[in-house]
Amino acid sequence: MRCPFCKNDDTRVVDSRASDDGASIRRRRSCSECSRRFTTVESAVLAVVKRNGVTEPFNREKVMKGVRRACQGRSVTEDSLAQLAAAVENTVRASGSAEIPSHEVGLAILGPLRDLDEVAYLRFASVYRSFESADDFQREIDDLRKDSRREPVG
């Protein structure tokens, strides 16, 4: 790590601590040349591989934007969207892979969105799964009704 003050390449770690609920590491460093101290924050980059092969960093805000569009006109709070996006990120990070296909991000969105708002779920699923007819919607609605009957009452 290069010292931000004197640009020397020789620095040492003085202290390390987990931050952001363990998603990153905060390191306190000392420069061997100028003896000044500085802090760095390190985090593992999760990359999303899009259908066209382009790789980009996972972006929680992008998840929220897509889900927000599906929730337009619904009574879904920004806090709920943020929680959903955090759950999606946790799910894709739990895969243990540094790169994840965009398709898997979409799959990770469907479950929590279904629990959050069924109408928004249908909107998102119709685009994500490329519904082509009313029959596609009907099948998905039938699945929603079937699953809601299986859930315990109470």
Side-chain angles (χ1 to χ4, degrees):
M1 173 62 57
R2 179 172 285 156
C3 174
F5 306 108
C6 71
K7 309 299 183 219
N8 181 34
D9 284 335
D10 188 23
T11 62
R12 67 182 181 86
V13 175
V14 177
D15 182 41
S16 292
R17 296 181 186 188
S19 62
D20 294 331
D21 295 327
S24 61
I25 297 175
R26 180 183 170 273
R27 296 195 194 277
R28 193 75 181 137
R29 296 179 177 269
S30 176
C31 176
S32 60
E33 183 71 26
C34 68
S35 300
R36 294 180 76 176
R37 291 185 173 201
F38 59 98
T39 302
T40 59
V41 178
E42 299 174 18
S43 61
V45 175
L46 176 63
V48 176
V49 181
K50 299 172 83 175
R51 287 183 203 148
N52 64 3
V54 174
T55 302
E56 64 182 41
F58 177 85
N59 184 342
R60 196 185 283 191
E61 189 58 42
K62 196 169 180 181
V63 170
M64 287 178 61
K65 183 180 176 185
V67 174
R68 186 180 293 120
R69 197 173 303 129
C71 293
Q72 198 168 358
R74 306 292 301 158
S75 59
V76 176
T77 65
E78 282 294 310
D79 189 46
S80 296
L81 292 177
Q83 289 175 1
L84 184 142
V88 169
E89 183 172 4
N90 290 339
T91 299
V92 295
R93 282 194 185 277
S95 74
S97 178
E99 290 186 346
I100 188 158
S102 60
H103 176 74
E104 289 187 32
V105 176
L107 289 176
I109 291 170
L110 287 173
L113 184 56
R114 187 176 187 163
D115 295 337
L116 181 65
D117 187 277
E118 289 180 345
V119 173
Y121 166 80
L122 283 172
R123 289 174 178 171
F124 189 88
S126 71
V127 173
Y128 179 72
R129 293 185 175 153
S130 302
F131 287 5
E132 295 182 8
S133 69
D135 290 338
D136 294 334
F137 278 95
Q138 190 59 54
R139 269 192 295 281
E140 199 64 43
I141 290 168
D142 291 344
D143 286 347
L144 278 170
R145 287 182 177 150
K146 187 173 26 172
D147 287 346
S148 67
R149 281 187 232 128
R150 283 191 216 150
E151 292 178 15
V153 178

